[in-house]
Amino acid sequence: MGNRLSKIYTRTGDDGSTGLADGNRIAKNAQRVEAMGTADELNCHIGILVETLPADDALIEVLRRIQHHLFDLGGEFAIPGSKVIGDEHITWLETTLDHYNEGLPPLKNFILPGGSAAAAHCHMARAVCRRAERVVVALGHEDSINTASRHYLNRLSDLLFVVARVLARRDSAQEILWEQKKSGL
């Protein structure tokens, strides 16, 4: 880490701009800033999820690794042209996803977010991850991005869906299935 912040406020953003890690300033509502912020928001949701788990839960190590990846991803967006997330990150997600999906029954219906507090938090993280992916796709339409970052978010949302299923089944032994007949008035 380069310079450490000794003073939190700088007033440099009062004009509606923010500084990137490469020294350039851009509008706070730029797509790149939205990508950084959504990756940060996702990281926060995963942190909340971690705090709902027992201290000895094996998922904590997986989720903490993902938090580090997401911090790296935000850094990647803060330095245009940089590449931190690579194929090895995606392969790790896929291997982890396969491991957790192995014991789950095949889906025969859509699942409603919930089943347990941890599963609900995981579904929230999944939804934010999908938004992060959409933001990164939009960023890619206006600027060059590392496509591995987009792939990472796509796989991560899949993993979070599977982990939510695992948590719901583990914590309450049930997932909440969507019933079409209940969606009407």
Side-chain angles (χ1 to χ4, degrees), residues 60-113:
I60 291 175
E61 183 180 336
V62 169
L63 295 169
R64 288 287 187 219
R65 180 181 280 192
I66 290 166
Q67 285 190 286
H68 285 279
H69 292 171
L70 289 170
F71 202 89
D72 290 341
L73 182 67
E76 186 177 287
F77 296 140
I79 306 172
S82 68
K83 293 183 179 184
V84 179
I85 301 297
D87 291 339
E88 66 278 7
H89 295 87
I90 298 162
T91 300
W92 178 80
L93 280 177
E94 290 171 347
T95 302
T96 305
L97 198 157
D98 290 342
H99 167 75
Y100 283 102
N101 195 45
E102 198 172 89
L104 293 174
L107 281 174
K108 296 180 180 176
N109 207 341
F110 291 108
I111 296 172
L112 298 180

Side-chain angles (χ1 to χ4, degrees), residues 115-135:
S116 73
H121 283 301
C122 196
H123 276 294
M124 186 67 197
R126 174 194 52 79
V128 172
C129 188
R130 285 288 187 205
R131 179 162 36 92
E133 183 183 7
R134 292 189 303 271
V135 168

